[in-house]
Amino acid sequence: MKISQLTEAFGAVVSGVDLGNVDPEGVEEIREAFHKHQVLLFRDQEISMEQHIVFSKNFGPLEVHISKDSLHKDHEEILLVSNVKENGKYIGVENAGDSWHSDLSYMPEPSLGSLLYALEVSEVGGDTEWLNMYAAYDTLPQKTKERIEGLKARHSFNRYKNKRIGVPDQRKVGGKERYAKISPPDVFHPVARTHPETGRKALYVSPRFTLGILDGSDDEAQDLLDELIEHATQRDFVYHHSWKVGDLIMWDNRNTLHLACRGIPEGQIRHMHRTTISGDVPF
Ligand code: OGA
Ligand code: MN
């Protein structure tokens, strides 16, 4: 196994490994790299859904996503991130993650990490970006670090509650009712969370899921959230990925945000499988 840095900011590419067949020592090496680099890229993988699931389970139990209509019908642990249509309806989440976010931060126990595997990619568009949220925290002005110390933020899946990003037309499928039906109750998580493995602090807010701050009105909180989000989304903290078939990217949801860059021309297919590792209560 060879591990080399992806960018100066963070991330690593892991080569010389078949994710369909990793021995326990290999898993430990990958775990160590995961804690060090936050985002790991494995190229040229040819794995079945079972192998994807088995490898993912080395890092914890898997989630079954709340978007029940986007799960693979034979494997509920696989979320389809896909623009394939059957009978005029998307079979999966079409362009998941079109605002910066951390997966499942709207849950009481948000996801530890996710593994996204590219089975088909578009010729144009469909890139994904990740942000290093350790770097975002570390570089905050001291005054801001003090201000957010011990502060909690409100997170919600319900896009209709989110004035910052709103609800673009293509996300109105099922409307308010669908979001109201599948959204769990709002949750509160630390604005700066401590990574349970590394002990480092990361900024833990996102434009997609963070609506406000505990004990203040959501309106009052917007200036602080604006400041944090603007600071975090600097280009210096970004890894930009153009997918190739066979790429699998495993990322840590506790210290990164990610974003779907979109821009796929009509008629081009992008088809991916995601597993989502369960996490614990942020502190
Ligand atoms: C996800 C996600 C972004 C993309 O799968 O969690 O946000 O580019 N995907 O598909
Ligand atoms: Mn996502």
Side-chain angles (χ1 to χ4, degrees):
M1 205 181 296
K2 195 172 149 252
I3 296 164
S4 29
Q5 217 157 299
L6 264 177
T7 69
E8 266 175 48
F10 70 129
V13 54
V14 185
S15 50
V17 57
D18 168 9
L19 295 181
N21 186 19
V22 191
D23 61 23
E25 280 147 51
V27 170
E28 288 323 305
E29 227 176 307
I30 291 169
R31 195 190 314 278
E32 201 177 302
F34 181 61
H35 293 152
K36 183 166 173 200
H37 299 284
Q38 306 163 253
V39 174
L40 299 180
L41 164 64
F42 304 87
R43 290 206 186 273
D44 303 315
Q45 297 299 314
E46 284 181 43
I47 54 170
S48 65
M49 283 186 277
E50 288 84 356
Q51 288 172 322
H52 186 173
I53 291 168
V54 166
F55 175 68
S56 303
K57 281 185 175 167
N58 285 308
F59 305 94
L62 302 188
E63 294 284 340
V64 175
H65 202 269
I66 60 172
S67 299
K68 299 287 181 232
D69 46 1
S70 301
L71 306 176
H72 192 282
K73 57 182 183 323
D74 300 327
H75 295 280
E76 61 178 9
E77 303 96 330
I78 301 268
L79 176 71
L80 300 173
V81 176
S82 175
N83 63 1
V84 171
K85 277 183 177 174
E86 264 169 24
N87 306 319
K89 199 175 155 281
Y90 289 114
I91 62 166
V93 194
E94 183 258 342
N95 267 313
D98 55 1
S99 300
W100 289 108
H101 67 285
S102 169
D103 293 333
L104 275 53
S105 81
Y106 48 83
M107 301 290 274
E109 297 186 344
S111 163
L112 177 160
S114 307
L115 296 90
L116 189 60
Y117 177 43
L119 292 124
E120 211 174 327
V121 301
S122 55
E123 218 166 287
V124 174
D127 294 356
T128 308
E129 293 186 333
W130 281 265
L131 272 179
N132 181 348
M133 298 301 274
Y134 285 152
Y137 177 80
D138 290 343
T139 56
L140 283 172
Q142 188 55 33
K143 205 169 82 245
T144 311
K145 282 188 186 164
E146 284 162 19
R147 180 147 178 237
I148 64 174
E149 179 69 34
L151 212 58
K152 287 192 169 189
R154 176 206 304 277
H155 294 243
S156 171
F157 181 76
N158 193 337
R159 203 158 178 143
Y160 281 87
K161 291 186 183 178
N162 189 326
K163 292 191 200 122
R164 185 178 301 278
I165 59 165
V167 190
D169 283 345
Q170 80 272 16
R171 309 307 301 250
K172 287 186 175 153
V173 187
K176 262 191 176 150
E177 296 70 29
R178 173 179 173 272
Y179 275 100
K181 195 165 139 211
I182 70 172
S183 296
D186 294 0
V187 290
F188 296 93
H189 295 309
V191 171
R193 76 177 286 188
T194 304
H195 194 287
E197 301 298 333
T198 66
R200 292 183 67 184
K201 274 192 182 168
L203 200 55
Y204 194 62
V205 293
S206 74
R208 171 64 186 89
F209 296 129
T210 312
L211 301 186
I213 303 287
L214 182 62
D215 294 337
S217 77
D218 285 352
D219 284 343
E220 279 168 357
Q222 295 318 309
D223 287 351
L224 176 58
L225 286 176
D226 283 346
E227 178 190 332
L228 296 175
I229 289 166
E230 195 189 321
H231 174 80
T233 52
Q234 303 179 33
R235 297 310 296 176
D236 287 355
F237 303 154
V238 170
Y239 168 61
H240 181 106
H241 187 70
S242 299
W243 292 89
K244 291 195 172 63
V245 169
D247 286 353
L248 185 144
I249 294 192
M250 169 178 182
W251 66 87
D252 194 325
N253 280 310
R254 302 164 296 185
N255 54 27
T256 65
L257 297 185
H258 59 284
L259 170 75
C261 302
R262 304 182 64 92
I264 302 172
E266 187 67 36
Q268 293 195 14
I269 296 298
R270 180 185 193 261
H271 184 70
M272 306 200 171
H273 286 173
R274 186 183 106 188
T275 54
T276 315
I277 308 163
S278 301
D280 36 33
V281 177
F283 57 89

